[in-house]
Amino acid sequence: MASPTSDPNRLPTLDFVRGVAVMGILLMNIQSFALPEAAYSNPRAYGGWHGADLAAWWVEAVLVDGKMRGLFSWLFGASALLVAMRAQAAGESGLRVHYRRMAWLALFGLAHLLIVWDGDILLHYALVGSLAFLFRDRPPHALVTAAVLLIAAQIVVVLPVPIALSDAVASVAAGHPNAVAVQDLPGWRDQFGVPSPASIAEALALHRGPYSGLLAYRLGEAPQLVFGTLTSVGLETLAYMLFGMAALRSGMFAGEWPRAAYRRGALIGFGVGIPATLAITAWERSSGFDLCAVAWAALVWTAPVRAAMIAGWACLLVPLAGPGWLRERVTAAGRMAFSNYLGTSLVCAGLFDGLGLFGAFSRAALLGVVVAVWAAMLLWSRPWLRRYRYGPLEWIWRSLARGAPQPMRLT
């Protein structure tokens, strides 16, 4: 794709898919910015669960939840491998370049987590990306096999949680709460169920209160946030990064597959994923978004289905990359995904925490905020890249990782 923002050292297809992913991620992240924690998995918790709010939840749950995060993980794995390969081709150490990048990304992520938003994924990617690099020389079939095994292992790791939760709920219903119910059930309810009015009031007060309170909370919760994410999705994230490496090595992300192969991949991915996810979400809805049903769906049943859907998204999007006003804008947003991701956090944290609007929007109303941020990404990314080689944060990250300021302005 030739355009004023093209770069011969990049894969435009990779940037286009990344642009879709970084925009799509906001559809789910906006709920973490604007609503209490449980609302992310359970619409009954907060933000509305009828009418337009229920419709918004359903579309997001079927097409977006976990899929855009997973797609972004595919892209992260592919990009890490591509950067290392090009460093080696230039006579540099791919190993050294990669781990410098991961070290600086970890620091960016830690700062983002503590200062801006506790839903940060950058630190997680830096940690998991350090492991993914150990697989860089594996052929595509070995990478895919390892990824499938990792997804299975992730399910095994989290399986004790919904089992213990179900036992705890049953013990309460029987009138003899067990020790797990007494100790862990309130926390599980705040994560997957309908929190108590006191818990909701506490979350609203925290986010609408002074910034010092939020900062103290994040400092105290940082270890749990980091290691909790590693436990709950770490193996799955590694699996997706390996899928991305396999996609790059096979030529899939470069658009080198036959068109029929992309169509077949999209049909299989969505053909398996959409009906299965609809069945899971219908079960959640029919249960009245019961605590146990939501936990089982979030932690176990959606995991293999999500993997199929991510592959379907990748196969659908790669052939769509190319010239055109909107596609070039999305590609530019993908080239500046780091700046757009952190910029989105600053805007949303300022809106919901800084202006005290946390908990003030319904689920459907939040879509208006999402569209406004999307418009900003599309409007500023391409004009910026007409003048500069990198997004502002991409330039800082690259310069730090290389140990010297990199050329920035286009000539």
Side-chain angles (χ1 to χ4, degrees), residues 15 133 255 402:
D15 288 329
F133 197 69
R402 300 282 176 154

Side-chain angles (χ1 to χ4, degrees), residues 226-240:
V226 173
F227 293 109
T229 303
L230 283 172
T231 301
S232 60
V233 295
L235 294 176
E236 183 183 55
T237 302
L238 179 57
Y240 295 154

Side-chain angles (χ1 to χ4, degrees), residues 150-163:
L150 284 165
I151 290 173
Q154 181 69 78
I155 294 173
V156 171
V157 167
V158 300
L159 192 57
V161 173
I163 291 176

Side-chain angles (χ1 to χ4, degrees), residues 46 55 68:
Y46 200 91
M68 293 297 109

Side-chain angles (χ1 to χ4, degrees), residues 275-354:
T277 310
L278 281 171
I280 293 168
T281 53
W283 170 58
E284 291 182 88
R285 175 68 181 89
S286 66
S287 75
F289 296 103
D290 172 76
L291 169 63
C292 293
V294 172
W296 276 100
L299 295 174
V300 178
W301 303 129
T302 55
V305 178
R306 186 161 55 239
M309 285 278 286
I310 296 165
W313 271 114
C315 289
L316 174 68
L317 292 171
V318 168
L320 296 179
W325 184 88
L326 180 58
R327 283 177 286 191
E328 291 183 10
R329 294 270 172 173
V330 173
T331 301
R335 281 188 61 184
M336 294 175 54
F338 190 30
S339 295
N340 281 321
Y341 173 77
L342 289 180
T344 296
S345 292
L346 291 172
V347 169
C348 290
L351 180 65
F352 298 110
D353 293 333

Side-chain angles (χ1 to χ4, degrees), residues 134-399:
L134 302 177
F135 295 81
R136 65 190 181 281
D137 295 325
R138 300 289 183 181
H141 71 273
L143 291 167
V144 170
T145 300
V148 171
L149 293 175
L150 284 165
I151 290 173
Q154 181 69 78
I155 294 173
V156 171
V157 167
V158 300
L159 192 57
V161 173
I163 291 176
L165 170 57
S166 298
D167 288 343
V169 170
S171 74
V172 171
H176 304 288
N178 60 30
V180 174
V182 173
Q183 179 177 343
D184 296 334
L185 200 53
W188 282 331
R189 187 174 289 114
D190 286 347
Q191 186 174 1
F192 299 113
V194 179
S196 66
S199 294
I200 294 292
E202 183 180 353
L204 295 178
L206 176 66
H207 286 272
R208 293 175 181 177
Y211 175 73
S212 58
L214 265 177
L215 184 60
Y217 168 79
R218 291 173 187 148
L219 287 169
E221 293 294 316
Q224 173 58 33
L225 291 169
V226 173
F227 293 109
T229 303
L230 283 172
T231 301
S232 60
V233 295
L235 294 176
E236 183 183 55
T237 302
L238 179 57
Y240 295 154
M241 290 183 183
L242 299 190
F243 276 130
M245 289 181 175
L248 182 72
R249 286 202 176 279
S250 71
M252 183 264 203
F253 270 141
E256 295 174 356
W257 286 10
R259 288 279 174 168
Y262 288 106
R263 286 195 297 270
R264 185 165 57 249
L267 286 172
I268 293 173
F270 288 112
V272 171
I274 289 179
T277 310
L278 281 171
I280 293 168
T281 53
W283 170 58
E284 291 182 88
R285 175 68 181 89
S286 66
S287 75
F289 296 103
D290 172 76
L291 169 63
C292 293
V294 172
W296 276 100
L299 295 174
V300 178
W301 303 129
T302 55
V305 178
R306 186 161 55 239
M309 285 278 286
I310 296 165
W313 271 114
C315 289
L316 174 68
L317 292 171
V318 168
L320 296 179
W325 184 88
L326 180 58
R327 283 177 286 191
E328 291 183 10
R329 294 270 172 173
V330 173
T331 301
R335 281 188 61 184
M336 294 175 54
F338 190 30
S339 295
N340 281 321
Y341 173 77
L342 289 180
T344 296
S345 292
L346 291 172
V347 169
C348 290
L351 180 65
F352 298 110
D353 293 333
L355 297 181
L357 295 178
F358 184 86
F361 287 74
S362 70
R363 187 176 301 272
L366 287 173
L367 296 178
V369 180
V370 170
V371 171
V373 176
W374 283 353
M377 288 185 192
L378 296 176
L379 288 173
W380 91 288
S381 299
R382 192 163 183 260
W384 177 277
L385 290 174
R386 286 180 180 274
R387 301 183 64 184
Y388 303 104
R389 299 176 188 272
Y390 316 105
L393 288 175
E394 284 79 2
W395 176 79
I396 293 173
W397 184 22
R398 185 180 179 89
S399 297

